[in-house]
């Protein structure tokens, strides 16, 4: 994916269209950061002892998409795609034998499901819950933009370390 292939957010739009477009732009940015790399490069860790890798970011964002849109907003009984070996450990970061094709396929599927859930929502004021906490769709979309933007900053640094590629 090249920069010009990302979905550009509209300069003038209502709140819902703006939020969903900015989220898609962030998703496209992550894909752009990973495009053209080998399996080994996608698995490459940032700086020891960190487990951070581009493939780990993709797998992590699968879980983030599943959690916020399907579990919290849509009240689906979904479990993590990559089960945790024990409480507090996150297996999505364990990428030594992870399959990038599987990770990207599942990520694309979860993003498509999330878009469908958002499209089906009546308004940005629709809510979901996690335990006793209640979240509006507006909050979830804003949080997801923040989540992707933060991880895309990490992806910038990872990509530069891997092959020197810089920029958006």
């Amino acid at each position: 994916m090249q920069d010009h292939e990302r979905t550009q957010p509209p300069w003038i739009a209502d709140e819902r269209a703006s939020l969903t477009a900015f989220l898609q732009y962030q998703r496209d940015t992550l894909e752009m950061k990973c495009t053209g790399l080998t399996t080994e490069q996608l698995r490459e860790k940032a700086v020891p002892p960190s487990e951070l890798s581009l493939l780990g970011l993709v797998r992590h964002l699968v879980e983030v998409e599943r959690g916020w849109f399907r579990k919290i907003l849509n009240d689906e009984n979904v479990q993590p795609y990559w089960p945790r070996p024990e409480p507090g450990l996150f297996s999505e970061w364990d990428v030594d034998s992870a399959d990038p094709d599987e990770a990207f396929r599942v990520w694309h599927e979860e993003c498509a499901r999330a878009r469908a859930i958002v499209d089906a929502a009546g308004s940005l004021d629709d809510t979901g819950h996690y335990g006793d906490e209640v979240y509006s769709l507006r909050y979830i979309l804003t949080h997801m933009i923040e989540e992707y933007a933060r991880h895309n900053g990490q992806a910038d640094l990872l990509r530069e370390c891997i092959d020197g590629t810089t920029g958006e």
Side-chain angles (χ1 to χ4, degrees):
M1 173 178 278
Q2 300 296 316
D3 182 49
H4 68 276
E5 295 176 285
R6 289 186 292 177
T7 306
Q8 296 293 324
W11 290 11
I12 299 172
D14 65 24
E15 185 180 15
R16 186 179 189 139
S18 292
L19 289 170
T20 57
F22 270 95
L23 177 54
Q24 188 57 48
Y25 183 80
Q26 293 296 328
R27 289 170 175 149
D28 290 349
T29 299
L30 180 62
E31 181 137 18
M32 187 179 75
K33 292 296 172 186
C34 297
T35 297
L37 297 176
T38 66
T39 295
E40 293 74 26
Q41 289 171 318
L42 289 167
R43 289 178 181 161
E44 193 171 314
K45 306 296 190 314
V47 179
S50 174
E51 291 295 310
L52 188 64
S53 68
L54 287 169
L55 184 54
L57 287 174
V58 172
R59 288 166 49 111
H60 171 66
L61 288 161
V62 164
E63 302 298 357
V64 172
E65 294 271 356
R66 286 170 71 84
W68 281 101
F69 291 108
R70 293 179 66 193
K71 188 171 189 165
I72 294 171
L73 186 61
N74 216 35
D75 199 29
E76 293 180 38
N77 184 19
V78 293
Q79 300 303 310
Y81 190 84
W82 292 281
R84 292 172 170 88
E86 57 187 80
L89 295 179
F90 298 95
S91 60
E92 63 257 32
W93 299 109
D94 181 12
V95 298
D96 291 339
S97 62
D99 179 1
D101 291 336
E102 174 194 35
F104 281 97
R105 177 186 53 77
V106 174
W107 179 59
H108 286 127
E109 289 170 0
E110 289 301 330
C111 291
R113 283 187 187 112
R115 284 190 296 273
I117 290 167
V118 170
D119 289 348
S123 81
L124 293 174
D125 295 321
D126 285 8
T127 61
H129 65 89
Y130 183 74
D132 293 336
E133 299 295 327
V134 178
Y135 302 93
S136 70
L137 174 56
R138 179 180 292 102
Y139 175 89
I140 292 169
L141 289 169
T142 304
H143 173 72
M144 290 297 293
I145 293 165
E146 179 273 332
E147 180 88 16
Y148 271 93
R150 181 168 31 90
H151 289 313
N152 282 336
Q154 295 166 328
D156 282 339
L157 295 172
L158 285 162
R159 183 66 190 248
E160 186 174 4
C161 287
I162 291 168
D163 69 358
T165 299
T166 61
E168 279 195 64

